[in-house]
Amino acid sequence: MRTASVLLAGALATSAHAKYILKDDYSAPNFLNMFNFDTFDDPTHGYVNYVDQATADSMDMFNVSNGQVTFGVDHTNIASGRGRTSIRLTSKAQYTHGLVILDLAHMPGSICGTWPAFWMTGPNWPHSGEIDIIEGVNTASRNRMTMHTSDGCSLAGSTCQGSLGCHIEPTDTNSFGTGLNDANGGVYAMQWTSRWINIWFFPRGREPSDISGPHPNTGTWGHPSASFVGGGADDSESSCNIDEHFKDNHIVFDTTFCGDWAGAVWGQDATCAALAGSCQDYVRDHPEAFADSYWTVNSLRVYQSDTFQRDVAAQAPVSGPAAEAVVQSTAANSLVEQGNTTLAIHDDDAAATTSPSMSTEAKGVTRHLHRHHLHHHHS
């Protein structure tokens, strides 16, 4: 895989003390009613056979029990046809802005041939953007968080256009695959505003006290694991209008095999290359290898800013089109000064721009940003 390292130094988006309220709860027993089972051919050319709910149930690939939702892949039969049988789920709802919190007990392990992902994407890929929250292939031990957009979006000095994308890969090994499972899972949170897209990972036992409550407050969570800051937020290396490039995204879970990424780098992984001559041969002939390729979701919730909700409530006596106009105006233009940070409330987010008076040292953090190619998930 071709990569290029770019040093991401400068302003890391803070969370601006944004406090949220629950919008949609995907947790059991609501989960099934809020997702569609996709059955189309894999857009990333994976060796995979996505099946509907009835087929998944008949093969014991999907289960809701004790408040958890578990879904996996066929690990019994030799694969044929389109490939190994698996599940791809797409939310019925679409989102622009908000806070998505996923509590995982288990995800597909770091297994040769696999390409699991938890992500978001919109219509007419890549023009509505793609946000990869959890993703990796084969024996990967580190999570890769990636943005994909149409032309004209650069984040931290790297273009995010198309299948190239731009990604951040932290060094911890307990946030993905087998490492996450060995640590009893963890919690991912993705905050999407007009100014940035932040992603946090919290290992089990180190979650913020409010993250599973009715009003999570991202302002108390510390620096995110990855921050993709739009242009104009004191980050001269960014030139991206988040609202133009990201909108109307669905939530997606999938586990595919081989394809444009896992298959393309098969020979670069010595462990995998020693197992079979090709990714497809291994995935086809070794069902027993994929017994650990399953997701177990403790909870999945989507929140919106409670500032937007308060604006709506304040206009309750007004009805009809006039009410909608007032609410939109209030939400889009409300500004609150707080110390050296200006909170710009827009739509369903509470975003912030750091003040020019804030020192570079106070704002700066250093991360490594890599670019990758050959893979995307668009539908």
Side-chain angles (χ1 to χ4, degrees):
M1 177 184 301
R2 183 187 64 194
T3 61
S5 295
V6 179
L7 188 64
L8 172 58
L12 179 67
T14 65
S15 50
H17 305 286
K19 193 172 182 179
Y20 289 85
I21 65 169
L22 184 64
K23 178 177 177 63
D24 290 320
D25 189 346
Y26 286 79
S27 309
N30 305 322
F31 195 92
L32 271 175
N33 295 327
M34 301 179 76
F35 279 99
N36 291 318
F37 283 70
D38 298 328
T39 58
F40 45 70
D41 291 344
D42 182 17
T44 59
H45 310 106
Y47 183 63
V48 65
N49 176 39
Y50 290 130
V51 295
D52 59 21
Q53 182 183 343
T55 303
D57 285 341
S58 71
M59 298 179 67
D60 294 325
M61 292 168 51
F62 191 96
N63 180 54
V64 179
S65 178
N66 298 320
Q68 294 179 314
V69 181
T70 298
F71 47 99
V73 308
D74 174 26
H75 56 89
T76 302
N77 303 295
I78 300 294
S80 61
R82 294 197 301 177
R84 182 152 301 284
T85 299
S86 182
I87 293 172
R88 172 172 160 148
L89 302 173
T90 298
S91 67
K92 296 176 181 178
Q94 294 173 279
Y95 302 96
T96 301
H97 300 173
L99 178 67
V100 178
I101 300 178
L102 172 67
D103 186 325
L104 279 177
H106 190 280
M107 70 167 289
S110 304
I111 301 168
C112 290
T114 57
W115 179 359
F118 172 69
W119 51 294
M120 299 181 70
T121 191
N124 192 24
W125 190 93
H127 296 281
S128 298
E130 176 180 325
I131 303 169
D132 297 332
I133 302 169
I134 305 174
E135 185 179 31
V137 299
N138 297 328
T139 60
S141 60
R142 305 190 321 201
N143 184 40
R144 178 170 293 185
M145 294 162 280
T146 308
M147 304 293 114
H148 299 273
T149 68
S150 55
D151 190 20
C153 179
S154 176
L155 297 172
S158 180
T159 179
C160 300
Q161 180 181 357
S163 57
L164 281 169
C166 52
H167 79 260
I168 295 173
E169 186 175 309
T171 58
D172 56 355
T173 58
N174 62 348
S175 62
F176 183 83
T178 300
L180 180 142
N181 299 335
D182 289 346
N184 299 314
V187 179
Y188 272 93
M190 188 280 295
Q191 179 193 43
W192 172 4
T193 77
S194 292
R195 306 295 288 134
W196 57 71
I197 296 171
N198 286 335
I199 301 174
W200 287 264
F201 171 71
F202 300 104
R204 184 69 65 211
R206 294 173 56 188
E207 309 93 331
S209 59
D210 66 348
I211 200 164
S212 60
H215 303 293
N217 183 353
T218 58
T220 67
W221 292 359
H223 288 309
S225 304
S227 189
F228 298 88
V229 186
D234 286 348
D235 184 355
S236 60
E237 292 186 315
S238 292
S239 59
C240 185
N241 184 317
I242 297 292
D243 285 347
E244 286 184 2
H245 289 279
F246 295 90
K247 54 196 166 188
D248 300 328
N249 273 208
H250 296 274
I251 297 171
V252 183
F253 286 94
D254 74 75
T255 304
T256 187
F257 304 93
C258 304
D260 294 340
W261 188 10
V265 300
W266 177 264
Q268 300 173 30
D269 187 317
T271 299
C272 297
L275 296 174
S278 73
C279 181
Q280 182 168 323
D281 287 347
Y282 184 71
V283 171
R284 181 190 62 223
D285 297 335
H286 295 277
E288 73 286 350
F290 305 102
D292 203 43
S293 293
Y294 65 91
W295 302 85
T296 297
V297 177
N298 290 329
S299 63
L300 171 60
R301 298 184 176 98
V302 179
Y303 298 79
Q304 69 178 26
S305 166
D306 75 338
T307 304
F308 179 68
Q309 285 295 104
R310 288 198 303 271
D311 290 340
V312 172
Q315 301 301 327
V318 184
S319 61
E324 294 184 12
V326 171
V327 170
Q328 291 171 1
S329 175
T330 303
N333 299 314
S334 175
L335 293 177
V336 182
E337 292 290 342
Q338 185 170 355
N340 287 330
T341 303
T342 300
L343 306 189
I345 310 303
H346 175 77
D347 193 35
D348 62 349
D349 68 82
T353 57
T354 52
S355 165
S357 64
M358 187 179 296
S359 69
T360 301
E361 290 77 10
K363 293 180 292 185
V365 295
T366 301
R367 296 189 183 276
H368 288 286
L369 179 71
H370 304 278
R371 296 177 58 201
H372 67 87
H373 74 310
L374 286 177
H375 84 281
H376 56 76
H377 298 271
H378 71 282
S379 59

